[in-house]
Amino acid sequence: MQEELMNIVVVGHVDHGKSTIIGRLLADTHSLPQGKLEQVKANCERNSKPFEYAFLLDALKDEQAQGITIDLARCFFKTSQRKYLILDAPGHSEFLKNMITGAAHAEAALLVIDANEGIQENSKRHAYMLSMLGIKQLLVVVNKMDLIQYSQEKFNRIVADYRLFLNHIGLTPVNFIPVSGMQGDSIVALSKNIPWYQQQTVLETIDSFQKSQPLTQKAFRMPVQDIYKFTKKQDDRRIVAGRIESGQVSVGDKVIFYPSGKMSTIASIEAFNAPKKLQSIEAGYSIGFTLAEQIYIKRGDLLVKEHEQKPEIASRIQVSLFWLGKSPLVMGKEYYLKLGTTKVRAHLEKVLHVMNAASLESKASTTVQSHEVAVCLLKLHSPIAFDRPENNELTSRFVLVDNYDIAGGGIIQHALEDNTDWMREKIQERNANWITSDISREERAEKYGQYPSLIIITGQKGSGRKTLAKSLERALFAQGKKVYYLGIGNVIYGVDADIKNTAQETRIEHLRRFSEVLNILLDAGQIVIITALNLTQDEVNFIKEATLCQRLFKIWMGQEKTTDIQENLWIKDKLISPEELVNIQMSLKNKINVSE
Amino acid sequence: MDHLTELENRSIYILREAYSQFKNLCMLWSIGKDSTVLLWLARKAFFGHIPFPLVHIDTAYKIPEMIEYRDRLAKAWGLNMIYGQNELALQEKNTFPDGKIDRINCCRLLKTEALKQTLSGEGKRYRLNHATGQYEVDTNNEPYTGVIVGVRSDEEGSRSKERYFSPRDKNNDWHIGDQPPEFWNQFKTDFAPGTHVRVHPLLDWTELNIWEYIQREQIPTVSLYYDQGETKRYRSLGCWPCTKPVESISKNVAEIILELKSGQFANIAERAGRAQDKEDGGGLETLRKEGYM
């Protein structure tokens, strides 16, 4: 019989006695290695300093006991009920990211408050972080009762004040317990010192915490982690891999991939060394599927079941977030947003308000500093699929990456409108109803020796876009590539003949129809070269979304750059030399060629 | 979902994240039980395949059964097997105990330094040619940017401070006080050029979990872990001059599990038989800051 294991985190302000409480729990549940208690006691005697239970933890964490409390450490203890992994989280403000790392892995939390010092800044900040991280089981331990002569009155005052604060942030603690870690009161047994407290001990409360369960009852959600095709050993399975966050799915179920809206059917559930062929699978498993229809999907897609609650799709979102970065969250800088397995470029559009996590005071601001929490609007470069937190918290949480590091985390509150919502719905509808060929994208790529890819040549009027497009088409054609040049004008006078108005609002409709044509050419496996005037990055993102093309190469032409496009290449001179044409082809190589 | 299944699925998720995010990825295989469980988890994650090389740092002082077992499994499972070693230190006899230096510095040269050189590609890599069954110098010397390692947080002090994805700078240095936050299954997968990331899928496993999983999955392990009739077995494997067997009569996996749960080892640390830990103040922190596994 395997033991049950629960992760708990101990948080609170610095020096409020977290290590002492943990040391007590370890010693009084006899969870210490043989001789450790005696060894530490003897050590104290030798150095003539009084023994403290906190030393036990230091001794366990690092025999040298130096430079250690700066980071999260783990230790185990055992009760008659089950085994626990304690994540000790540092109380210093500057280690908030370590506290969050510890707390995020916990199923329940102990928050320690010093009865003598009372509620301090990090007593509040840590509780706020627990609520943002989604920890629902909280026990408040009012420590060092011996220092206030076990005063029930003082205890009650702390309880009343702190309960009020917790109410504000939506946390309901399971209990408040008056303890003394030093004396051992109320930790594993009730104490004569506190006759007025006759409820559960710390240990009893810990044992009554509920083990968190996978969300099997919610709608099916699986972020696609990867698509595998390992050709070695004659394995021809194309496996969609990921971990199921919620719900369950069976062979034969119709599934949809968002944000594209592409549809397929689960053909089989794949697992290595499984005793039998699986027919259904549920939340918590890292698994793989093969699909009946060979549709094009990619890492980051959210797999859901038909007829279950649909996720939200948006490229503008309102979020609440906490910031940990060394530099503040600012406008005009590019970040990455990661949610599940998806990763998209993101910009801060607006800060609605910033809040001090300890005082709960709000203020207006245009930036978010380290350790602040805020409600913000984010603009994403491409749409993502997510759920509202009330429907599924796992698929509503995201992190922001600044430079190379995770610098913040948050919860999406809801989607915001943007001007391409209508277009997006049409694209999803088209994808859902697409009649899929039996020849997969990969098969075509292998046969043609090229990936379907899109070369965008845009820029100023008279900058030589069309000339370059033609020379490049010729050059690639000569190499045996299946390449086609399509100027936007070819669509405007044909497919778009019914659009009379030439105003700015119609530009997006022209672009939509142009993208639909591109989608067909790319689906057929072509390399397509397009030319269009002054494309913006938003417009490029739209084309990308409509065609699902991941292999884009953007060339800007002209003396000046007049849009915000993030080009791969900027050509100022109208006349392209043969050497330059060769260089362009070299840069394209990785995009279009299928490697051996 | 039982605890082992939970651990298994979390580790598989981490392995797949590593594979999807790092172009030059490898897995360290020390031949010991932990990294062999890791190897098994990789076969699960990738449906019977292992789509990256396995790297063994051969100090030339490994117990001979370990090398024999390594090559047997590598051949049977078709592994992309690579080993590297610090040839210079071996030539110059900068070794312990038959050479000029002490245990810690021997570890530094034969393990840490050899690992650094093998990962960066500066040192020779030997790859198993499955056609001939022989090792040949590998032509690929691109540095590995992602390295999967089977360390567990319950092994010793410094390992309890690890992250699942732990960045190392150009000098392989580990900044314990300033590690990236890790929450909601989001890991550090973006990194500056010249740096690499160590990936630790087994961080939450205990020694007991490892053995229970070996039992459940029937994973083949090297015979040194079991008493062969001399009332001795290895609890942890390493180089023969610094790793001593423990007194034990456990002859199979089931008996080891019993011994760990309620027997003589229930309260004794696993690495108690490793001499270099003691010389490093017991915490291994100095060695690990410099790049030791």
PDB file of all heavy atoms in Angstrom, chain A residues 2 71 74 97-98 225 235 243 273 286 299 343 404-405, chain B residues 4 9 13 17 49 163 178-179 185 187-190 204 217:
ATOM      1  N   GLN A   2       0.653   2.134  -0.947  1.00  0.00           N
ATOM      2  CA  GLN A   2       1.429   3.366  -1.001  1.00  0.00           C
ATOM      3  C   GLN A   2       0.902   4.388  -0.003  1.00  0.00           C
ATOM      4  O   GLN A   2      -0.286   4.494   0.216  1.00  0.00           O
ATOM      5  CB  GLN A   2       1.277   3.998  -2.372  1.00  0.00           C
ATOM      6  CG  GLN A   2       2.195   3.470  -3.405  1.00  0.00           C
ATOM      7  CD  GLN A   2       1.929   4.197  -4.689  1.00  0.00           C
ATOM      8  OE1 GLN A   2       1.918   5.407  -4.726  1.00  0.00           O
ATOM      9  NE2 GLN A   2       1.663   3.464  -5.725  1.00  0.00           N
ATOM     10  N   ASP A  71      16.613  30.296   0.554  1.00  0.00           N
ATOM     11  CA  ASP A  71      15.807  29.595  -0.432  1.00  0.00           C
ATOM     12  C   ASP A  71      14.911  28.556   0.198  1.00  0.00           C
ATOM     13  O   ASP A  71      15.056  28.178   1.342  1.00  0.00           O
ATOM     14  CB  ASP A  71      16.710  28.966  -1.493  1.00  0.00           C
ATOM     15  CG  ASP A  71      15.933  28.709  -2.770  1.00  0.00           C
ATOM     16  OD1 ASP A  71      14.748  29.058  -2.800  1.00  0.00           O
ATOM     17  OD2 ASP A  71      16.516  28.172  -3.710  1.00  0.00           O
ATOM     18  N   ARG A  74      13.046  21.650   1.476  1.00  0.00           N
ATOM     19  CA  ARG A  74      11.953  20.716   1.684  1.00  0.00           C
ATOM     20  C   ARG A  74      12.322  19.729   2.763  1.00  0.00           C
ATOM     21  O   ARG A  74      13.457  19.334   2.889  1.00  0.00           O
ATOM     22  CB  ARG A  74      11.688  19.914   0.405  1.00  0.00           C
ATOM     23  CG  ARG A  74      11.696  20.750  -0.828  1.00  0.00           C
ATOM     24  CD  ARG A  74      11.841  19.876  -2.062  1.00  0.00           C
ATOM     25  NE  ARG A  74      11.964  20.726  -3.229  1.00  0.00           N
ATOM     26  CZ  ARG A  74      11.332  20.516  -4.371  1.00  0.00           C
ATOM     27  NH1 ARG A  74      10.574  19.470  -4.523  1.00  0.00           N
ATOM     28  NH2 ARG A  74      11.483  21.331  -5.375  1.00  0.00           N
ATOM     29  N   LYS A  97       9.841  35.597  -4.683  1.00  0.00           N
ATOM     30  CA  LYS A  97       9.742  34.615  -5.766  1.00  0.00           C
ATOM     31  C   LYS A  97      10.000  33.195  -5.259  1.00  0.00           C
ATOM     32  O   LYS A  97       9.436  32.240  -5.777  1.00  0.00           O
ATOM     33  CB  LYS A  97      10.634  34.971  -6.946  1.00  0.00           C
ATOM     34  CG  LYS A  97      12.085  35.069  -6.636  1.00  0.00           C
ATOM     35  CD  LYS A  97      12.867  35.480  -7.875  1.00  0.00           C
ATOM     36  CE  LYS A  97      14.332  35.428  -7.559  1.00  0.00           C
ATOM     37  NZ  LYS A  97      15.181  35.736  -8.689  1.00  0.00           N
ATOM     38  N   ASN A  98      10.819  33.078  -4.217  1.00  0.00           N
ATOM     39  CA  ASN A  98      11.014  31.748  -3.632  1.00  0.00           C
ATOM     40  C   ASN A  98       9.781  31.312  -2.849  1.00  0.00           C
ATOM     41  O   ASN A  98       9.389  30.150  -2.872  1.00  0.00           O
ATOM     42  CB  ASN A  98      12.223  31.747  -2.703  1.00  0.00           C
ATOM     43  CG  ASN A  98      13.512  32.001  -3.458  1.00  0.00           C
ATOM     44  OD1 ASN A  98      13.596  31.694  -4.646  1.00  0.00           O
ATOM     45  ND2 ASN A  98      14.487  32.567  -2.797  1.00  0.00           N
ATOM     46  N   GLN A 225       1.167  19.629 -26.021  1.00  0.00           N
ATOM     47  CA  GLN A 225       2.554  19.867 -25.636  1.00  0.00           C
ATOM     48  C   GLN A 225       3.487  19.668 -26.833  1.00  0.00           C
ATOM     49  O   GLN A 225       4.469  20.365 -26.982  1.00  0.00           O
ATOM     50  CB  GLN A 225       2.922  18.901 -24.512  1.00  0.00           C
ATOM     51  CG  GLN A 225       3.956  19.430 -23.557  1.00  0.00           C
ATOM     52  CD  GLN A 225       4.197  18.499 -22.394  1.00  0.00           C
ATOM     53  OE1 GLN A 225       3.535  17.479 -22.243  1.00  0.00           O
ATOM     54  NE2 GLN A 225       5.148  18.840 -21.559  1.00  0.00           N
ATOM     55  N   ASP A 235       7.943   3.035 -36.694  1.00  0.00           N
ATOM     56  CA  ASP A 235       6.798   3.557 -35.955  1.00  0.00           C
ATOM     57  C   ASP A 235       6.165   4.651 -36.810  1.00  0.00           C
ATOM     58  O   ASP A 235       6.794   5.658 -37.080  1.00  0.00           O
ATOM     59  CB  ASP A 235       7.294   4.137 -34.621  1.00  0.00           C
ATOM     60  CG  ASP A 235       6.153   4.508 -33.695  1.00  0.00           C
ATOM     61  OD1 ASP A 235       5.000   4.565 -34.172  1.00  0.00           O
ATOM     62  OD2 ASP A 235       6.418   4.735 -32.506  1.00  0.00           O
ATOM     63  N   ARG A 243      -0.637  16.852 -21.250  1.00  0.00           N
ATOM     64  CA  ARG A 243      -1.222  16.395 -20.003  1.00  0.00           C
ATOM     65  C   ARG A 243      -2.649  16.923 -19.899  1.00  0.00           C
ATOM     66  O   ARG A 243      -2.905  18.097 -20.167  1.00  0.00           O
ATOM     67  CB  ARG A 243      -0.424  16.883 -18.795  1.00  0.00           C
ATOM     68  CG  ARG A 243      -0.980  16.243 -17.502  1.00  0.00           C
ATOM     69  CD  ARG A 243      -0.262  16.682 -16.280  1.00  0.00           C
ATOM     70  NE  ARG A 243      -0.110  18.123 -16.327  1.00  0.00           N
ATOM     71  CZ  ARG A 243       0.776  18.772 -15.592  1.00  0.00           C
ATOM     72  NH1 ARG A 243       1.575  18.128 -14.803  1.00  0.00           N
ATOM     73  NH2 ARG A 243       0.862  20.080 -15.681  1.00  0.00           N
ATOM     74  N   ASN A 273       4.227   0.777 -22.278  1.00  0.00           N
ATOM     75  CA  ASN A 273       4.208  -0.188 -21.170  1.00  0.00           C
ATOM     76  C   ASN A 273       2.878  -0.209 -20.413  1.00  0.00           C
ATOM     77  O   ASN A 273       2.827  -0.490 -19.230  1.00  0.00           O
ATOM     78  CB  ASN A 273       5.351   0.096 -20.179  1.00  0.00           C
ATOM     79  CG  ASN A 273       5.704  -1.130 -19.344  1.00  0.00           C
ATOM     80  OD1 ASN A 273       5.645  -2.252 -19.840  1.00  0.00           O
ATOM     81  ND2 ASN A 273       6.042  -0.926 -18.089  1.00  0.00           N
ATOM     82  N   SER A 286      -0.362  12.422 -18.244  1.00  0.00           N
ATOM     83  CA  SER A 286       0.415  12.866 -19.399  1.00  0.00           C
ATOM     84  C   SER A 286       0.311  11.745 -20.420  1.00  0.00           C
ATOM     85  O   SER A 286       0.798  10.643 -20.180  1.00  0.00           O
ATOM     86  CB  SER A 286       1.879  13.067 -19.013  1.00  0.00           C
ATOM     87  OG  SER A 286       2.029  14.194 -18.200  1.00  0.00           O
ATOM     88  N   ARG A 299       1.908  22.766 -31.086  1.00  0.00           N
ATOM     89  CA  ARG A 299       2.078  22.998 -29.649  1.00  0.00           C
ATOM     90  C   ARG A 299       1.391  24.309 -29.285  1.00  0.00           C
ATOM     91  O   ARG A 299       1.482  25.298 -29.999  1.00  0.00           O
ATOM     92  CB  ARG A 299       3.572  23.097 -29.320  1.00  0.00           C
ATOM     93  CG  ARG A 299       3.844  23.454 -27.875  1.00  0.00           C
ATOM     94  CD  ARG A 299       5.336  23.517 -27.595  1.00  0.00           C
ATOM     95  NE  ARG A 299       5.602  24.281 -26.385  1.00  0.00           N
ATOM     96  CZ  ARG A 299       5.695  23.741 -25.165  1.00  0.00           C
ATOM     97  NH1 ARG A 299       5.567  22.439 -25.011  1.00  0.00           N
ATOM     98  NH2 ARG A 299       5.922  24.498 -24.114  1.00  0.00           N
ATOM     99  N   LYS A 343       2.659  30.080 -26.044  1.00  0.00           N
ATOM    100  CA  LYS A 343       3.578  31.174 -25.742  1.00  0.00           C
ATOM    101  C   LYS A 343       3.396  32.220 -26.830  1.00  0.00           C
ATOM    102  O   LYS A 343       3.632  31.939 -28.001  1.00  0.00           O
ATOM    103  CB  LYS A 343       5.008  30.630 -25.748  1.00  0.00           C
ATOM    104  CG  LYS A 343       6.064  31.645 -25.402  1.00  0.00           C
ATOM    105  CD  LYS A 343       7.439  30.967 -25.406  1.00  0.00           C
ATOM    106  CE  LYS A 343       8.541  31.964 -25.199  1.00  0.00           C
ATOM    107  NZ  LYS A 343       9.860  31.342 -25.347  1.00  0.00           N
ATOM    108  N   TYR A 404      14.694  36.761 -20.306  1.00  0.00           N
ATOM    109  CA  TYR A 404      14.781  35.302 -20.264  1.00  0.00           C
ATOM    110  C   TYR A 404      14.067  34.716 -19.056  1.00  0.00           C
ATOM    111  O   TYR A 404      14.050  33.512 -18.881  1.00  0.00           O
ATOM    112  CB  TYR A 404      16.247  34.877 -20.219  1.00  0.00           C
ATOM    113  CG  TYR A 404      17.041  35.319 -21.421  1.00  0.00           C
ATOM    114  CD1 TYR A 404      18.061  36.260 -21.305  1.00  0.00           C
ATOM    115  CD2 TYR A 404      16.760  34.802 -22.686  1.00  0.00           C
ATOM    116  CE1 TYR A 404      18.790  36.675 -22.401  1.00  0.00           C
ATOM    117  CE2 TYR A 404      17.482  35.206 -23.792  1.00  0.00           C
ATOM    118  CZ  TYR A 404      18.493  36.139 -23.648  1.00  0.00           C
ATOM    119  OH  TYR A 404      19.197  36.534 -24.740  1.00  0.00           O
ATOM    120  N   ASP A 405      13.493  35.562 -18.192  1.00  0.00           N
ATOM    121  CA  ASP A 405      12.983  35.044 -16.924  1.00  0.00           C
ATOM    122  C   ASP A 405      11.490  35.256 -16.729  1.00  0.00           C
ATOM    123  O   ASP A 405      10.937  36.248 -17.185  1.00  0.00           O
ATOM    124  CB  ASP A 405      13.712  35.727 -15.760  1.00  0.00           C
ATOM    125  CG  ASP A 405      15.137  35.258 -15.641  1.00  0.00           C
ATOM    126  OD1 ASP A 405      15.353  34.039 -15.756  1.00  0.00           O
ATOM    127  OD2 ASP A 405      16.031  36.103 -15.465  1.00  0.00           O
TER     128      ASP A 405
ATOM    129  N   LEU B   4       2.513   7.460  -6.787  1.00  0.00           N
ATOM    130  CA  LEU B   4       3.518   7.113  -7.809  1.00  0.00           C
ATOM    131  C   LEU B   4       3.059   7.544  -9.198  1.00  0.00           C
ATOM    132  O   LEU B   4       3.847   8.050  -9.998  1.00  0.00           O
ATOM    133  CB  LEU B   4       3.756   5.596  -7.829  1.00  0.00           C
ATOM    134  CG  LEU B   4       4.831   5.015  -6.920  1.00  0.00           C
ATOM    135  CD1 LEU B   4       5.015   3.546  -7.257  1.00  0.00           C
ATOM    136  CD2 LEU B   4       6.152   5.759  -7.036  1.00  0.00           C
ATOM    137  N   ASN B   9       3.472  11.087 -13.877  1.00  0.00           N
ATOM    138  CA  ASN B   9       2.899  11.968 -14.883  1.00  0.00           C
ATOM    139  C   ASN B   9       3.497  13.367 -14.848  1.00  0.00           C
ATOM    140  O   ASN B   9       3.624  14.020 -15.876  1.00  0.00           O
ATOM    141  CB  ASN B   9       1.371  12.003 -14.741  1.00  0.00           C
ATOM    142  CG  ASN B   9       0.756  10.761 -15.338  1.00  0.00           C
ATOM    143  OD1 ASN B   9       0.670  10.626 -16.548  1.00  0.00           O
ATOM    144  ND2 ASN B   9       0.377   9.817 -14.498  1.00  0.00           N
ATOM    145  N   TYR B  13       5.656  15.068 -17.957  1.00  0.00           N
ATOM    146  CA  TYR B  13       5.360  16.417 -18.447  1.00  0.00           C
ATOM    147  C   TYR B  13       6.647  17.242 -18.549  1.00  0.00           C
ATOM    148  O   TYR B  13       6.891  17.915 -19.547  1.00  0.00           O
ATOM    149  CB  TYR B  13       4.358  17.114 -17.521  1.00  0.00           C
ATOM    150  CG  TYR B  13       3.921  18.457 -18.036  1.00  0.00           C
ATOM    151  CD1 TYR B  13       2.931  18.542 -19.023  1.00  0.00           C
ATOM    152  CD2 TYR B  13       4.491  19.646 -17.589  1.00  0.00           C
ATOM    153  CE1 TYR B  13       2.528  19.758 -19.521  1.00  0.00           C
ATOM    154  CE2 TYR B  13       4.096  20.872 -18.081  1.00  0.00           C
ATOM    155  CZ  TYR B  13       3.104  20.930 -19.049  1.00  0.00           C
ATOM    156  OH  TYR B  13       2.714  22.145 -19.555  1.00  0.00           O
ATOM    157  N   GLU B  17       8.428  18.858 -21.830  1.00  0.00           N
ATOM    158  CA  GLU B  17       8.711  20.293 -21.920  1.00  0.00           C
ATOM    159  C   GLU B  17      10.163  20.497 -22.345  1.00  0.00           C
ATOM    160  O   GLU B  17      10.453  21.307 -23.212  1.00  0.00           O
ATOM    161  CB  GLU B  17       8.488  20.984 -20.567  1.00  0.00           C
ATOM    162  CG  GLU B  17       7.044  21.337 -20.265  1.00  0.00           C
ATOM    163  CD  GLU B  17       6.413  22.226 -21.309  1.00  0.00           C
ATOM    164  OE1 GLU B  17       6.619  23.443 -21.299  1.00  0.00           O
ATOM    165  OE2 GLU B  17       5.682  21.670 -22.166  1.00  0.00           O
ATOM    166  N   HIS B  49      10.495   5.537 -27.573  1.00  0.00           N
ATOM    167  CA  HIS B  49      11.705   6.089 -28.202  1.00  0.00           C
ATOM    168  C   HIS B  49      12.423   6.990 -27.201  1.00  0.00           C
ATOM    169  O   HIS B  49      11.808   7.483 -26.272  1.00  0.00           O
ATOM    170  CB  HIS B  49      11.337   6.922 -29.424  1.00  0.00           C
ATOM    171  CG  HIS B  49      10.499   6.183 -30.421  1.00  0.00           C
ATOM    172  ND1 HIS B  49      11.026   5.494 -31.462  1.00  0.00           N
ATOM    173  CD2 HIS B  49       9.159   6.005 -30.493  1.00  0.00           C
ATOM    174  CE1 HIS B  49      10.047   4.922 -32.157  1.00  0.00           C
ATOM    175  NE2 HIS B  49       8.902   5.218 -31.593  1.00  0.00           N
ATOM    176  N   ARG B 163      15.511  23.772  -8.571  1.00  0.00           N
ATOM    177  CA  ARG B 163      14.274  23.961  -9.332  1.00  0.00           C
ATOM    178  C   ARG B 163      14.172  22.816 -10.348  1.00  0.00           C
ATOM    179  O   ARG B 163      15.151  22.146 -10.618  1.00  0.00           O
ATOM    180  CB  ARG B 163      14.316  25.284 -10.086  1.00  0.00           C
ATOM    181  CG  ARG B 163      14.454  26.506  -9.201  1.00  0.00           C
ATOM    182  CD  ARG B 163      13.137  26.852  -8.548  1.00  0.00           C
ATOM    183  NE  ARG B 163      13.120  28.237  -8.115  1.00  0.00           N
ATOM    184  CZ  ARG B 163      13.272  28.649  -6.862  1.00  0.00           C
ATOM    185  NH1 ARG B 163      13.490  27.769  -5.904  1.00  0.00           N
ATOM    186  NH2 ARG B 163      13.211  29.929  -6.562  1.00  0.00           N
ATOM    187  N   ASP B 178      19.600  33.306  -6.124  1.00  0.00           N
ATOM    188  CA  ASP B 178      18.864  34.093  -7.100  1.00  0.00           C
ATOM    189  C   ASP B 178      18.323  33.202  -8.220  1.00  0.00           C
ATOM    190  O   ASP B 178      18.704  33.326  -9.367  1.00  0.00           O
ATOM    191  CB  ASP B 178      19.788  35.186  -7.671  1.00  0.00           C
ATOM    192  CG  ASP B 178      19.031  36.156  -8.556  1.00  0.00           C
ATOM    193  OD1 ASP B 178      17.805  36.292  -8.361  1.00  0.00           O
ATOM    194  OD2 ASP B 178      19.658  36.742  -9.461  1.00  0.00           O
ATOM    195  N   GLN B 179      17.447  32.288  -7.845  1.00  0.00           N
ATOM    196  CA  GLN B 179      16.910  31.361  -8.834  1.00  0.00           C
ATOM    197  C   GLN B 179      15.580  31.874  -9.377  1.00  0.00           C
ATOM    198  O   GLN B 179      14.845  32.558  -8.686  1.00  0.00           O
ATOM    199  CB  GLN B 179      16.721  29.991  -8.202  1.00  0.00           C
ATOM    200  CG  GLN B 179      18.007  29.394  -7.679  1.00  0.00           C
ATOM    201  CD  GLN B 179      17.849  27.929  -7.426  1.00  0.00           C
ATOM    202  OE1 GLN B 179      17.689  27.130  -8.330  1.00  0.00           O
ATOM    203  NE2 GLN B 179      17.863  27.557  -6.162  1.00  0.00           N
ATOM    204  N   ASN B 185       3.413  25.031 -13.346  1.00  0.00           N
ATOM    205  CA  ASN B 185       4.012  24.249 -14.427  1.00  0.00           C
ATOM    206  C   ASN B 185       4.636  25.099 -15.532  1.00  0.00           C
ATOM    207  O   ASN B 185       4.692  24.686 -16.681  1.00  0.00           O
ATOM    208  CB  ASN B 185       2.995  23.301 -15.068  1.00  0.00           C
ATOM    209  CG  ASN B 185       2.592  22.215 -14.108  1.00  0.00           C
ATOM    210  OD1 ASN B 185       3.446  21.568 -13.510  1.00  0.00           O
ATOM    211  ND2 ASN B 185       1.304  22.040 -13.928  1.00  0.00           N
ATOM    212  N   PHE B 187       8.106  26.843 -16.612  1.00  0.00           N
ATOM    213  CA  PHE B 187       9.507  26.698 -16.252  1.00  0.00           C
ATOM    214  C   PHE B 187      10.371  27.690 -17.028  1.00  0.00           C
ATOM    215  O   PHE B 187       9.916  28.273 -18.003  1.00  0.00           O
ATOM    216  CB  PHE B 187       9.980  25.275 -16.556  1.00  0.00           C
ATOM    217  CG  PHE B 187       9.069  24.232 -16.010  1.00  0.00           C
ATOM    218  CD1 PHE B 187       8.267  23.473 -16.841  1.00  0.00           C
ATOM    219  CD2 PHE B 187       8.977  24.021 -14.636  1.00  0.00           C
ATOM    220  CE1 PHE B 187       7.414  22.506 -16.328  1.00  0.00           C
ATOM    221  CE2 PHE B 187       8.133  23.067 -14.117  1.00  0.00           C
ATOM    222  CZ  PHE B 187       7.345  22.297 -14.967  1.00  0.00           C
ATOM    223  N   LYS B 188      11.598  27.794 -16.588  1.00  0.00           N
ATOM    224  CA  LYS B 188      12.518  28.659 -17.320  1.00  0.00           C
ATOM    225  C   LYS B 188      13.002  27.936 -18.566  1.00  0.00           C
ATOM    226  O   LYS B 188      13.813  27.026 -18.492  1.00  0.00           O
ATOM    227  CB  LYS B 188      13.714  29.045 -16.453  1.00  0.00           C
ATOM    228  CG  LYS B 188      14.667  29.972 -17.193  1.00  0.00           C
ATOM    229  CD  LYS B 188      15.810  30.407 -16.322  1.00  0.00           C
ATOM    230  CE  LYS B 188      16.876  31.118 -17.127  1.00  0.00           C
ATOM    231  NZ  LYS B 188      16.441  32.426 -17.628  1.00  0.00           N
ATOM    232  N   THR B 189      12.486  28.336 -19.703  1.00  0.00           N
ATOM    233  CA  THR B 189      12.897  27.696 -20.949  1.00  0.00           C
ATOM    234  C   THR B 189      13.524  28.701 -21.908  1.00  0.00           C
ATOM    235  O   THR B 189      13.838  28.381 -23.040  1.00  0.00           O
ATOM    236  CB  THR B 189      11.698  27.017 -21.637  1.00  0.00           C
ATOM    237  OG1 THR B 189      10.624  27.956 -21.727  1.00  0.00           O
ATOM    238  CG2 THR B 189      11.229  25.804 -20.850  1.00  0.00           C
ATOM    239  N   ASP B 190      13.657  29.948 -21.447  1.00  0.00           N
ATOM    240  CA  ASP B 190      14.345  30.955 -22.253  1.00  0.00           C
ATOM    241  C   ASP B 190      15.678  31.231 -21.578  1.00  0.00           C
ATOM    242  O   ASP B 190      15.737  31.380 -20.366  1.00  0.00           O
ATOM    243  CB  ASP B 190      13.542  32.255 -22.279  1.00  0.00           C
ATOM    244  CG  ASP B 190      12.152  32.041 -22.831  1.00  0.00           C
ATOM    245  OD1 ASP B 190      12.006  32.126 -24.052  1.00  0.00           O
ATOM    246  OD2 ASP B 190      11.227  31.765 -22.044  1.00  0.00           O
ATOM    247  N   ASP B 204      10.915  15.563  -6.995  1.00  0.00           N
ATOM    248  CA  ASP B 204       9.947  15.245  -5.931  1.00  0.00           C
ATOM    249  C   ASP B 204       9.950  13.775  -5.513  1.00  0.00           C
ATOM    250  O   ASP B 204       9.172  13.381  -4.664  1.00  0.00           O
ATOM    251  CB  ASP B 204       8.536  15.609  -6.390  1.00  0.00           C
ATOM    252  CG  ASP B 204       8.412  17.087  -6.700  1.00  0.00           C
ATOM    253  OD1 ASP B 204       9.157  17.865  -6.103  1.00  0.00           O
ATOM    254  OD2 ASP B 204       7.576  17.441  -7.546  1.00  0.00           O
ATOM    255  N   GLU B 217       7.070  -1.130 -12.360  1.00  0.00           N
ATOM    256  CA  GLU B 217       7.306  -1.151 -13.802  1.00  0.00           C
ATOM    257  C   GLU B 217       8.255  -2.274 -14.230  1.00  0.00           C
ATOM    258  O   GLU B 217       8.484  -2.461 -15.411  1.00  0.00           O
ATOM    259  CB  GLU B 217       7.892   0.197 -14.235  1.00  0.00           C
ATOM    260  CG  GLU B 217       6.985   1.382 -13.974  1.00  0.00           C
ATOM    261  CD  GLU B 217       5.819   1.464 -14.945  1.00  0.00           C
ATOM    262  OE1 GLU B 217       6.016   1.192 -16.144  1.00  0.00           O
ATOM    263  OE2 GLU B 217       4.700   1.782 -14.490  1.00  0.00           O
TER     264      GLU B 217
END
